[in-house]
Amino acid sequence: MKIKLSHGNGGAETSELIESIFMKYFQNEYARLEDAAVLPLNLQSGQRLAFTTDSFVVNPLFFPGGNIGRLSVCGTVNDLLTTGGNPLYLSASFIIEENTDTDIIDAAARSMREAADEAGVLIVTGDTKVIENGNNNNGGGLYINTAGVGIAGNASVYNIVAGDAILVSGNLGDHHACILSQRMGIQNNIQSDAAPITEIVNALVNSAIPVHCIRDVTRGGLATVLNEAANAAGLSAGIDENSLPVSDEVRGLCRILGLDPLYMGNEGKMMIVVPEQFADEALGIIIRSRYGENAALIGRFAEGNGVALNTKIGGKRKLPPLSGEGLPRIC
């Protein structure tokens, strides 16, 4: 098998690659294929460590609402937040192509510092490598790897039970639509949603609500994340099309290009799962938090398997995980 761009889409092909090669060699009791690993830290106190890493290869490097620097911090912080815990420290490693202007590096690093300050984390170590220009032109490229550690909480896909409510913290598809618009030269007002959602998670965790699961809605979109969660929990998931939060501009772009917001990635949105009786309270907390004003209750988990969309016209549509190339290099 040869690697294709589709192996990086965050969907079915990515899962196949991970299962067929990486998990064959890296499987252990802590490798649970969630956004962050949870590891023992202090056995006496019961504290656990959240640990994650991510690499960012977005094209273009700068886009409305952010850039590769802001993206690299927000993405890693949000992965740590999916445990329901407290992110603390990040590393930052730069792979820079020759001929890259230092002003680009400076702007990305400045954005990283600003995003870290907003998220309440420190960037404490890193690495720099310079490589030959892959395009053999006068420009250059920049790739960033960030790893993060923090104190883990108790949220996990393995906590989900039948009847749990499914919420999303805001509009779907913003980042994907922004990058696509920039790549295609489409003029619109769509901005990336790249943001650390620390305030949302902290507010939920500090309430009396038992948060069962938090998942980062990135590559592969909400449909893929729902499939992963349902499969892990051994349940089915049903969501309502009328409840899905999508901005008018993203919805219009999707109509023109034949895209589906359910398969488009975000960089500042979470799927949050809570017991049904806490759904309204959790939704209110999210809406009152920064970056959560467009949050919505969209469905529930139930006995069975697979993911289905209750359509606006009263039908049901099966939602498999993303398959195919999608749009490469959105993060």
Side-chain angles (χ1 to χ4, degrees):
M1 179 180 73
K2 302 292 186 181
I3 293 294
K4 303 175 182 177
L5 284 174
S6 60
H7 285 104
N9 66 8
E13 289 86 350
T14 303
S15 296
E16 178 187 2
L17 178 64
I18 292 170
E19 292 289 350
S20 64
I21 295 181
F22 301 132
M23 293 308 289
K24 181 168 63 176
Y25 300 107
F26 304 153
Q27 179 66 62
N28 57 66
E29 62 183 301
Y30 303 115
R32 301 181 69 180
L33 299 182
E34 298 193 71
D35 291 316
V38 175
L39 310 170
L41 177 62
N42 187 325
L43 296 180
Q44 290 184 334
S45 70
Q47 267 191 335
R48 299 178 301 164
L49 179 75
F51 175 51
T52 193
T53 185
D54 207 343
S55 298
F56 297 85
V57 297
V58 65
N59 179 21
L61 297 176
F62 294 81
F63 43 84
N67 58 59
I68 191 172
R70 179 172 176 81
L71 196 61
S72 66
V73 170
C74 295
T76 300
V77 165
N78 289 344
D79 280 351
L80 292 172
L81 287 168
T82 63
T83 70
N86 181 29
L88 296 173
Y89 306 108
L90 304 185
S91 69
S93 295
F94 298 82
I95 301 173
I96 308 167
E97 288 186 353
E98 61 180 339
N99 296 323
T100 302
D101 197 303
T102 55
D103 287 345
I104 292 175
I105 313 300
D106 186 274
R110 182 173 63 251
S111 292
M112 292 178 74
R113 172 59 188 270
E114 292 169 354
D117 288 346
E118 180 182 350
V121 299
L122 296 175
I123 299 171
V124 295
T125 189
D127 182 50
T128 303
K129 294 289 189 297
V130 177
I131 61 175
E132 293 180 349
N133 189 308
N135 296 318
N136 294 318
N137 57 34
N138 293 325
L142 172 64
Y143 313 98
I144 300 176
N145 172 272
T146 44
V149 295
I151 302 302
N154 297 313
S156 169
V157 292
Y158 299 100
N159 296 333
I160 299 172
V161 297
D164 277 355
I166 304 167
L167 301 94
V168 291
S169 64
N171 290 340
L172 302 175
D174 289 351
H175 178 71
H176 195 134
C178 172
I179 298 301
L180 179 59
S181 298
Q182 295 299 298
R183 296 270 289 275
M184 297 183 69
I186 299 173
Q187 299 296 315
N188 55 40
N189 296 316
I190 298 173
Q191 294 198 1
S192 169
D193 60 340
I197 61 160
T198 312
E199 185 174 320
I200 291 174
V201 174
N202 285 347
L204 286 170
V205 170
N206 291 333
S207 72
I209 297 172
V211 180
H212 283 178
C213 174
I214 307 172
R215 285 297 305 270
D216 198 6
V217 183
T218 53
R219 291 177 305 159
L222 178 64
T224 300
V225 170
L226 278 169
N227 272 276
E228 292 171 351
N231 289 340
L235 296 169
S236 67
I239 59 174
D240 297 317
E241 187 174 17
N242 286 321
S243 300
L244 296 177
V246 183
S247 73
D248 291 340
E249 282 212 86
V250 170
R251 200 181 298 277
L253 183 71
C254 289
R255 288 197 195 101
I256 293 170
L257 299 179
L259 300 174
D260 187 340
L262 286 167
Y263 290 94
M264 296 170 68
N266 292 83
E267 287 295 339
K269 302 296 189 309
M270 293 288 192
M271 179 190 80
I272 298 164
V273 182
V274 300
E276 169 66 25
Q277 63 268 34
F278 295 97
D280 290 339
E281 183 182 354
L283 181 60
I285 289 173
I286 298 169
I287 290 173
R288 291 190 296 273
S289 301
R290 187 178 187 186
Y291 302 122
E293 63 273 11
N294 296 309
L297 170 62
I298 63 168
R300 287 159 185 80
F301 285 94
E303 299 294 340
N305 57 77
V307 178
L309 175 72
N310 299 316
T311 68
K312 292 179 179 179
I313 61 174
K316 280 190 180 293
R317 171 186 156 205
K318 185 177 180 181
L319 296 177
L322 176 66
S323 179
E325 289 187 6
L327 178 69
R329 297 183 65 176
I330 65 166
C331 60

